[in-house]
Amino acid sequence: MRKFIQVALISALAMASFTVAAEMKIAVLDYQMALLESDSAKAYSVDAEKKFGTQLQRLRNLEAEAKRLQDRMQKDGEKLGQTEMEKLDLEFRQKARDFQAESKQLNDAKARADREMLETLKPKLDKAVESVLQGGGYDLVIDRSAVVDVKAEYDITRQVIERLNASR
């Protein structure tokens, strides 16, 4: 009899916990997408393209020049004299060094600009997320990367993006 009461009690507790779980309001949020799809991030992307466009074009030109030199050394290598080959090789190495130095400089500048944008946008994004969470009364929010598949009705990413865009 005692065993029966224990089983009945455990069963009742288990059913009560399923009822509580069924009443929980759950949402999924893709934080990175909310950040990148915001109007502010898109505007930053356009500005960054303008700001770093000339440096990027310079890198492309250096790369093309180095490729041209390398092709010439491979194609005409046997026809050229030793001094001419050494001259081309030296020029190629210089272009490669210039490319590496300018590429590093561009990457550092872009990373710095990205960090600055993130520092200004993150507090706004956090406020938008908090506003959507409070407005929706969610009990549990799961990061989109931790979910295999989710119905659109549980995904609050669009709501967060809209709230972020409205908070300008």
Side-chain angles (χ1 to χ4, degrees):
M1 181 71 170
R2 184 171 184 198
K3 193 92 160 159
F4 176 75
I5 293 173
Q6 286 177 339
V7 170
L9 184 60
I10 290 173
S11 297
L13 288 173
M15 292 188 62
S17 69
F18 285 131
T19 305
V20 170
E23 294 174 9
M24 283 183 69
K25 195 160 181 191
I26 299 172
V28 174
L29 172 64
D30 189 337
Y31 199 85
Q32 184 175 6
M33 180 181 163
L35 178 70
L36 296 176
E37 292 293 319
S38 70
D39 290 346
S40 298
K42 289 177 181 178
Y44 165 75
S45 181
V46 170
D47 290 344
E49 183 68 32
K50 290 176 187 174
K51 182 178 179 181
F52 299 113
T54 56
Q55 290 174 296
L56 190 58
Q57 186 58 44
R58 169 96 171 111
L59 281 175
R60 288 183 187 130
N61 291 344
L62 278 172
E63 183 180 32
E65 290 173 26
K67 178 87 170 111
R68 182 186 53 79
L69 289 169
Q70 188 178 34
D71 290 346
R72 183 167 178 221
M73 286 188 308
Q74 289 176 349
K75 181 180 170 189
D76 300 336
E78 295 175 9
K79 299 175 190 174
L80 299 173
Q82 182 69 22
T83 54
E84 183 68 22
M85 275 298 286
E86 288 174 359
K87 180 183 168 192
L88 286 175
D89 186 53
L90 183 65
E91 191 176 348
F92 171 76
R93 290 176 192 264
Q94 185 61 44
K95 298 280 185 204
R97 277 193 296 273
D98 290 348
F99 179 85
Q100 285 179 336
E102 289 189 30
S103 177
K104 183 179 180 339
Q105 185 180 24
L106 176 62
N107 287 338
D108 291 347
K110 178 78 167 75
R112 198 173 323 108
D114 288 351
R115 276 192 306 276
E116 289 170 3
M117 184 273 300
L118 187 60
E119 286 173 3
T120 59
L121 194 55
K122 188 173 180 331
K124 294 177 186 177
L125 178 60
D126 290 341
K127 281 183 182 177
V129 168
E130 188 62 33
S131 175
V132 170
L133 294 181
Q134 286 177 352
Y138 297 101
D139 298 309
L140 177 66
V141 178
I142 303 170
D143 188 277
R144 180 65 174 102
S145 63
V147 178
V148 176
D149 192 30
V150 65
K151 291 182 180 179
E153 63 195 59
Y154 296 113
D155 193 341
I156 61 170
T157 306
R158 277 281 145 221
Q159 295 172 30
V160 170
I161 294 169
E162 290 168 5
R163 188 70 51 102
L164 179 59
N165 290 342
S167 72
R168 299 180 112 206

